[in-house]
Amino acid sequence: MTGSATLRALHHGPHLPLVLPGPWDAASAKVFADAGFPALATPSAGVAASLGYEDGRTPADEMFAAVARIVRAVDVPVSADVEAGYGLSAKELVGRLADAGAVGCNLEDTDPATGALRDPREQADWLAQVRAEAGDALVINARIDTYLRGVQDTEETVRRGRLYAEAGADCVYPILAPPPLLGELAAGIGIPVNAVVTPDGPTPRELGALGASRITFGPGLLHQAMAAVAGMAERLREELSAEG
């Protein structure tokens, strides 16, 4: 079974929800893979932070290079968050993902030039072009940014999700959707739904029970790791101060 086929199958069981840790570099990817997770999903914000950029400011070449390093470090399928596609054509985007070794991708429906939601039919057309170029070699997770952009409209979220599913998306990601709505969204859209773990929100298991088939973390795991590093730095500083 190919990497994309393996990743696609994981969205449908038998062990759901599919929990995909978000590595930000090769070292963190190896830790998660060695822990037994069957696949990984890079977060654009986490990778950006590891490279010294603000979220959304990472040059495409550096993002794809980071994804390639992560892929080389592990022997499990890797999905890459490539934001809105960096202005690449569908052919270029699919080629860059293939060169990096990624077998899945996130594509969001926020227009990076304006920060506003894209027209859903235009986004669906774009997703259909990516699907046509990739065939079955790419698992497409279509991010729906309605809730992120303050559009608290379940019907609009479902409408976008259905259009993206018809365009060939394997999964939809209504980022920051209220957890109690996950079941309604999954039923209305008809394909697996991705939910994100937030610091004060439900656990991965709870999100699965609410209707999510796929669980990701955004940059949350990086933030936890950096908090641990900050603790180590503080302890080291205290030790040095005591010795002085």
Side-chain angles (χ1 to χ4, degrees):
M1 188 179 290
T2 65
S4 60
T6 298
L7 180 59
R8 186 172 289 111
L10 288 168
H11 287 73
H12 299 277
H15 304 294
L16 291 178
L18 170 61
V19 177
L20 299 175
W24 52 92
D25 60 12
S28 59
K30 193 171 188 311
V31 168
F32 294 130
D34 287 349
F37 288 96
L40 306 174
T42 70
S44 64
V47 174
S50 75
L51 296 174
Y53 293 103
E54 295 180 9
D55 187 22
R57 300 288 186 179
T58 309
D61 286 351
E62 293 198 43
M63 182 62 76
F64 286 112
V67 171
R69 290 191 292 271
I70 288 169
V71 171
R72 287 198 300 268
V74 298
D75 58 2
V76 298
V78 175
S79 180
D81 183 348
V82 289
E83 305 178 78
Y86 306 112
L88 300 170
S89 69
K91 183 175 182 178
E92 291 170 328
L93 178 63
V94 170
R96 296 294 297 271
L97 286 165
D99 289 345
V103 297
C105 70
N106 276 17
L107 288 170
E108 61 196 49
D109 62 0
T110 290
D111 184 337
T114 64
L117 289 166
R118 290 194 69 190
D119 177 87
R121 294 193 178 278
E122 290 180 0
Q123 180 71 0
D125 288 345
W126 158 244
L127 293 172
Q129 292 173 36
V130 174
R131 171 56 69 213
E133 287 291 339
D136 292 334
L138 196 64
V139 176
I140 299 174
N141 187 30
R143 204 177 87 178
I144 306 172
D145 287 358
T146 44
Y147 296 102
L148 179 66
R149 300 301 168 196
V151 181
Q152 305 296 319
D153 188 332
T154 302
E155 289 185 5
E156 174 62 12
T157 302
V158 169
R159 183 173 79 94
R160 286 175 178 264
R162 286 178 173 171
L163 286 170
Y164 303 164
E166 291 169 2
D170 297 281
C171 184
V172 291
Y173 180 14
I175 186 171
L176 299 184
L181 294 180
L182 290 170
E184 181 179 350
L185 293 172
I189 295 169
I191 60 175
V193 167
N194 186 149
V196 64
V197 175
T198 57
D200 299 318
T203 66
R205 187 181 296 276
E206 290 168 341
L207 289 170
L210 288 167
S213 296
R214 167 174 165 152
I215 308 297
T216 53
F217 298 83
L221 298 176
L222 168 65
H223 292 164
Q224 291 182 45
M226 294 311 297
V229 171
M232 287 188 287
E234 181 62 20
R235 289 191 295 274
L236 177 59
R237 187 190 65 78
E238 291 173 354
E239 291 172 4
L240 293 173
S241 297
E243 290 174 2

